[in-house]
Amino acid sequence: MRSDTARPLPLGEVVTVVLDGRRSSVWWGPDGDLDRVAVREGRVRTWPTPDACADDARDLGWVGAADRCHTMLTAASVPWAFDLAPFEPRWSPADLRRLREVLNGAVHVLRTEVVRPPRAPRTT
């Protein structure tokens, strides 16, 4: 692990872990081909709640994986809005996992919350 003061881990997400019955939140994300957690002075940074971790991440300028995925999807769809030539995003395994989670959540909302219109009566 690397020190966050030497090189921050800006892209990631809040993950809650339970060790010995104690819940802690960490900032986890990709770093090249590896997955890493945020550290300080060689020790894993932990927060008492997911909200506390997310608040610190936001204050430090770290970007949530879902935000990054959204930006890559948008840039691929309208690259001229980002002053890019055609853009082909490079998805890390963590990006793809997060994208799948978000899309599955959206499909779940549609399946459970959208009411189907009544069928029209059959005419023979």
Side-chain angles (χ1 to χ4, degrees):
M1 293 185 205
R2 297 179 180 145
S3 167
D4 62 346
T5 57
R7 181 172 168 206
L9 186 65
L11 171 67
E13 61 188 291
V14 177
V15 175
T16 300
V17 295
V18 180
L19 296 171
D20 299 327
R22 181 174 173 239
R23 299 175 76 83
S24 295
S25 294
V26 298
W27 184 256
W28 166 88
D31 183 11
D33 292 334
L34 300 173
D35 288 347
R36 299 193 185 269
V37 295
V39 297
R40 176 182 284 153
E41 298 174 0
R43 299 186 70 179
V44 174
R45 293 186 72 171
T46 62
W47 289 264
T49 66
D51 288 341
C53 180
D55 290 345
D56 277 358
R58 190 174 30 262
D59 291 347
L60 291 166
W62 296 348
V63 178
D67 297 332
R68 182 172 181 264
C69 290
H70 180 267
T71 300
M72 287 195 303
L73 286 171
T74 304
S77 299
V78 287
W80 58 88
F82 290 80
D83 198 25
L84 299 170
F87 175 68
E88 294 182 27
R90 292 180 17 193
W91 299 93
S92 72
D95 290 334
L96 292 173
R97 280 191 302 271
R98 185 64 183 146
L99 183 60
R100 190 174 298 114
E101 288 172 5
V102 170
L103 292 175
N104 284 340
V107 169
H108 174 74
V109 168
L110 290 174
R111 285 183 175 150
T112 58
E113 299 298 326
V114 175
V115 178
R116 293 184 181 162
R119 287 188 178 191
R122 290 182 123 186
T123 58
T124 54

